[in-house]
Structure formats: C-alpha cells, structure tokens
Amino acid sequence: MQLSLTSDQRLMRDSIRDFAQREILPHRLQWDEKQHFPRELFSAMGELGLMGVLVPEQYGGAGLGYYEYKMAIEELAKVCGSIGLSMAAHNSLCTGHILQFGNEEQKQRWLPKLASGEWIGAWGLTEANTGSDAMRMRCVAERNGDEWILNGTKNWITHGLSGDVTVVLARTGELLDSRGITAFVVERGTPGFSGGKKENKLGMRSSETAEIIFDQCRVPASHVLGEVGQGFIQAMKVLDGGRISIASLALGMAKGAMETAVQYAKEREQFGQPIAKFQAIAFKLADMATAIEASDLLTLQACELKSQGMPVTKESAMAKYEASEVCVRVATEAIQILGGYGYTKDFPAEKFYRDSKLCTIGEGTSEIQKLVISRELLSS
C-alpha cells in the first residue's frame, strides 16, 4: 500500500492546488449562494486531465490510477466540496460505467469527449420512491425493433440539467429481479429526454442536482451497455469504485475543515494566549487529526485493492462509511473551535459543515454501508 506520494504525484498535487486556489477559491462563496454550476470550469479541469483521470490515454484520458484519483478529489474538496463532488460523479459513475462495461465502439464514441471535459456526464439510478431500494425502480424500457423506449423519472441526479450524456438504469424485466435492469447511454437532445426540477439543497449547492425525465424516449439498441438485464449488477460494481471517490471527497473536506480550525486556533487569542494553547482546543484538534488519518488509511487500502483488481466491496464500503462520518464530526468541531465566526460565511467552516452531510447520504447512506459490510463479513 502506497503511503507517500511519488515525485510525479507531488507535481500533480501542486498543479491541482494551484488551480483550485486560482480558479475555485475566489468564486466558491458566490457559486454556493447562487447555486451556480460553473460548467466552464470543468472544461479547464479537462485540460488538466481531471475529467478522465482513470480513462486510458487511447481514449483521451490521463491513464492514471486510484491513488492519483483519490488525491485529485481530495485537493479539490479541500477548497470546495461541490466541485470535488461533480468531478467525482463525472469520473466514477458516468465515465466509469462506460469505461468498465462499454464495448470498443461505445468507448470510442463517448470517452474522449467525457475525458476532455467537452462533455459532462450524469448517472441515473435513484428515483423518488426507490433510493436504497433500487430494484423497485419504476423507470422502464421496452424493446421496439432496433430501439428501446424509456419512460420514467430519475431523481437526485448530479448534472441532471447540464449533463451531455447520461448512463441510466431502467427496468427491462420483472420487478425485484436483479437481472431485470439494463443500463443505457442517452445523449442530451434525444427526443423525450429532458431535465426537470433542480433541487434547492442544504450544501453542495454549486454541484447541480436535478431530476431527469423520460417520456417515450427512443434509444438505439446500440446504446445498451453490456448485456440486457445486467444493469443492476453493473451498477453495484460501479458503486464499489464510486465509494472510494466519496471517501476521498469526505477526506478532502475534513482536511480542509481541520486546516481552517488549526489556523484559527493559532491566531485567535483569549485570556492572553492563542486558543490552541488550551487543552480543550488542542485535544479537539488531536481527535480530528487522528480520525482523519484512520479514514485516510482505510481509503488507501481500498485504492490498493482496486488497483490490483481485487474484490473491494467491503473495503470501499468501510472507507466510505468511516470517512463520511468523520467528515461530519470534524466539520462540526471546526465550527465549535471557531465559535461565532464559524457560524458566519466570513470563514469556510460553515460551508464545510453544510457540505459534509451529503457524504453520509450519497452513493449509499451510512446505514447501507453497514449493511454491505455486515453482509460481506457474514458471507465468508
């Protein structure tokens, strides 16, 4: 397991840090308050290789591995969780699904545009009444000659309005049949495919979240990913990698919140000395740092297994579960250390606090992670 960065990885980290300080930091508060999704930023991120981190060079990607991917998400999330979230969803879910299960023609068609940032990707599994209970989905697809006709609605979709291409899971078989769901790629502009309501969220406000609607939407049979009926099985494998990305996102925000708290504790004086000198504050910082380090090691373990092509279901669930819960605790303690200032928008602590909660919900709640972990333990 790699515990330190190589010289090339350090150069990449520094490049991302510079980009985040220059292109994201000056705008993050305005984007957050206006719920503005900065689409143009992602084209620039594509030039840095951040929109196709795991995509092989032959398809226009950076051709890097999970260690670099983890680091990239973290560095963005230290500055703005929303941008880290959108980058992660684009890479792990939409692009990752096509990369993992698409045929050569499909990869050649969609991956270069996604990896360059020319196109933004979305991924549609969740529905209004079927969050964790995905096998009860009501979005259906029926075969009609060389086409499939999709009808239904997906909710909580990252880039639901702005996504140029969406991987959508629809039921093609019987209800509750794990082999009755199929993955389709649908391009923006396809008749019958539209964006719906944009969610007004507590946090992650500059990462676009909206519903997508299919109304007699005709999709060519050539847009089916893998085999018909394999969509749910594919989705579970995609989420194994996606949970590493959410763990990385949580780590980045936790580290950003802790850095804010450390800096403030060194500078803020009470009773004639910096508050960092008081044991109550120093011990909070020690607990925060230790919890982050433990989550980091869990995430690195998942990266190592994924890089080796080994089963990672349990380890990625553990990393996602622990890192997301730690992120919430660290962000909460950062607010406490900053006191009244932590409750204002003059400091970034309140944004880390609001953004952090999504990590315990998205791509499987903490409760679902515990279910996955316990099932893996009991099946062995």
Side-chain angles (χ1 to χ4, degrees):
M1 188 166 72
Q2 182 183 329
L3 296 178
S4 59
L5 299 178
T6 65
S7 58
D8 286 343
Q9 289 169 341
R10 285 195 296 272
L11 287 173
M12 180 181 175
R13 178 200 62 192
D14 293 343
S15 176
I16 298 170
R17 281 183 180 176
D18 289 344
F19 177 85
Q21 291 294 316
R22 185 177 67 252
E23 303 294 341
I24 300 174
L25 182 61
H27 311 290
R28 67 180 176 187
L29 182 59
Q30 181 183 15
W31 291 343
D32 181 75
E33 292 192 337
K34 293 185 176 181
Q35 293 200 82
H36 171 66
F37 175 61
R39 173 63 182 86
E40 66 285 351
L41 178 75
F42 292 87
S43 297
M45 286 166 58
E47 295 177 7
L48 284 179
L50 296 179
M51 301 302 281
V53 178
L54 302 170
V55 176
E57 292 182 17
Q58 69 188 90
Y59 304 117
L64 299 172
Y66 268 82
Y67 284 109
E68 290 86 0
Y69 183 44
K70 168 187 178 292
M71 177 192 65
I73 295 173
E74 274 188 45
E75 291 301 325
L76 293 174
K78 281 181 184 178
V79 176
C80 181
S82 295
I83 303 305
L85 173 63
S86 277
M87 180 267 202
H90 170 93
N91 276 273
S92 286
L93 300 180
C94 178
T95 305
H97 200 143
I98 295 171
L99 177 62
Q100 196 168 350
F101 295 102
N103 58 38
E104 187 61 27
E105 181 181 348
Q106 292 168 335
K107 291 177 183 178
Q108 292 285 357
R109 176 169 181 166
W110 291 303
L111 290 181
K113 290 183 178 180
L114 288 166
S116 68
E118 178 184 349
W119 279 13
I120 292 286
W123 194 74
L125 175 65
T126 303
E127 299 179 5
N129 296 310
T130 57
S132 301
D133 191 10
M135 284 198 294
R136 294 183 190 271
M137 68 174 58
R138 297 177 181 177
C139 184
V140 297
E142 296 182 357
R143 186 73 184 254
N144 186 344
D146 292 333
E147 296 179 319
W148 288 84
I149 303 176
L150 274 65
N151 284 288
T153 302
K154 297 290 181 178
N155 295 71
W156 303 105
I157 307 305
T158 304
H159 312 143
L161 299 177
S162 298
D164 299 283
V165 60
T166 299
V167 175
V168 60
L169 285 299
R171 186 157 55 81
T172 53
E174 297 298 320
L175 195 68
L176 300 180
D177 180 6
S178 64
R179 296 184 181 275
I181 294 171
T182 301
F184 301 87
V185 181
V186 187
E187 295 182 6
R188 182 67 62 186
T190 303
F193 174 39
S194 61
K197 174 191 174 186
K198 180 179 178 179
E199 302 296 342
N200 186 5
K201 299 176 295 182
L202 167 71
M204 299 292 194
R205 290 168 60 83
S206 50
S207 176
E208 179 187 275
T209 306
E211 67 178 356
I212 54 176
I213 302 165
F214 300 94
D215 182 10
Q216 294 295 111
C217 178
R218 292 180 173 270
V219 178
S222 60
H223 286 209
V224 171
L225 286 175
E227 298 179 11
V228 172
Q230 294 292 309
F232 183 79
I233 297 166
Q234 293 173 9
M236 295 304 101
K237 293 179 180 178
V238 169
L239 286 172
D240 279 348
R243 285 165 181 154
I244 295 175
S245 71
I246 299 300
S248 304
L249 177 70
L251 277 170
M253 289 192 291
K255 291 177 181 179
M258 186 178 73
E259 289 174 4
T260 298
V262 168
Q263 181 180 354
Y264 182 86
K266 288 180 177 179
E267 296 174 355
R268 171 69 164 172
E269 291 192 359
Q270 291 286 272
F271 305 102
Q273 61 182 335
I275 63 172
K277 295 286 187 179
F278 295 104
Q279 190 179 79
I281 301 300
F283 278 18
K284 282 183 184 295
L285 295 172
D287 285 339
M288 293 159 73
T290 302
I292 289 172
E293 194 71 18
S295 300
D296 207 341
L297 289 169
L298 279 172
T299 309
L300 286 170
Q301 174 184 241
C303 288
E304 177 66 19
L305 292 174
K306 187 70 174 174
S307 299
Q308 297 297 326
M310 298 175 67
V312 72
T313 300
K314 181 184 70 174
E315 289 77 10
S316 65
M318 285 180 168
K320 195 270 188 189
Y321 167 54
E322 184 65 13
S324 62
E325 293 290 340
V326 163
C327 182
V328 172
R329 294 201 303 272
V330 168
T332 302
E333 290 288 48
I335 293 278
Q336 195 69 19
I337 290 171
L338 269 70
Y341 290 109
Y343 208 65
T344 72
K345 292 183 182 292
D346 294 331
F347 288 82
E350 65 85 29
K351 184 176 185 299
F352 285 124
Y353 180 74
R354 289 185 292 107
D355 289 349
S356 66
K357 190 57 189 170
L358 184 276
C359 294
T360 69
I361 299 170
E363 295 197 35
T365 63
S366 291
E367 290 74 20
I368 288 295
Q369 303 314 310
K370 288 191 277 190
L371 181 63
V372 171
I373 295 164
S374 60
R375 282 179 175 174
E376 288 293 307
L377 287 172
L378 296 170
S379 65
S380 60

